Amino acid sequence: MPLQTANAKTSDEISLIRKNYPNNYLIFYSDVDGEKMWCPDCVRIEGIVKDTFNSETAEGTIVYVGLQHEWKSPSNLFRREFGISSVPTIVKLQDGTELGKLEDGEITKESLGKFVNV
């Protein structure tokens, strides 16, 4: 399935993500700053994510967490609402509930393939 993008900047919009994508993989990336994402690890796994979700039946939705200064704030909505402590992070949802997550350095082609096919 092709990747989708969900735009969310408020608590209400974040709540809609769980509602609109209840059985999905949420891929949390840094925002694009200029021409590319400000997070080098997000840039590093972008191709792996595209390849995995374009070749698998799993549905993936990209969610951008903000510019660097927004992400670094302890009050960042994605930190609070999804318990994310680093980007990139991939969260598996079933019926809107988190079943698991892969964070930052854990994300490789092999680990993501296993995570998506579990």
Side-chain angles (χ1 to χ4, degrees):
M1 290 252 145
L3 289 166
Q4 307 171 71
T5 301
N7 294 315
K9 298 296 180 190
T10 67
S11 290
D12 289 340
E13 291 171 335
I14 289 172
S15 295
L16 284 175
I17 290 174
R18 285 188 194 272
K19 182 180 176 187
N20 293 337
Y21 308 101
N23 299 304
N24 206 315
Y25 292 84
L26 301 179
I27 300 111
F28 293 93
Y29 280 152
S30 66
D31 272 19
V32 174
D33 188 11
E35 294 185 20
K36 64 180 184 176
M37 291 181 277
W38 59 260
C39 169
D41 291 327
C42 295
V43 173
R44 175 185 60 81
I45 71 151
E46 187 176 22
I48 295 168
V49 168
K50 284 180 182 177
D51 290 347
T52 300
F53 285 95
N54 285 332
S55 64
E56 301 293 338
T57 58
E59 293 184 36
T61 301
I62 296 170
V63 181
Y64 294 102
V65 301
L67 295 173
Q68 190 169 15
H69 70 279
E70 296 166 328
W71 169 247
K72 296 293 182 181
S73 169
S75 64
N76 180 282
L77 289 172
F78 299 99
R79 289 181 182 275
R80 290 195 336 247
E81 299 289 329
F82 288 96
I84 296 170
S85 59
S86 63
V87 287
T89 294
I90 301 173
V91 174
K92 181 179 184 175
L93 296 179
Q94 183 174 354
D95 298 323
T97 302
E98 180 183 316
L99 287 186
K101 72 171 75 165
L102 284 178
E103 299 178 302
D104 201 359
E106 299 173 334
I107 304 169
T108 63
K109 184 175 183 164
E110 293 78 24
S111 67
L112 183 56
K114 288 178 185 174
F115 186 63
V116 169
N117 289 307
V118 171

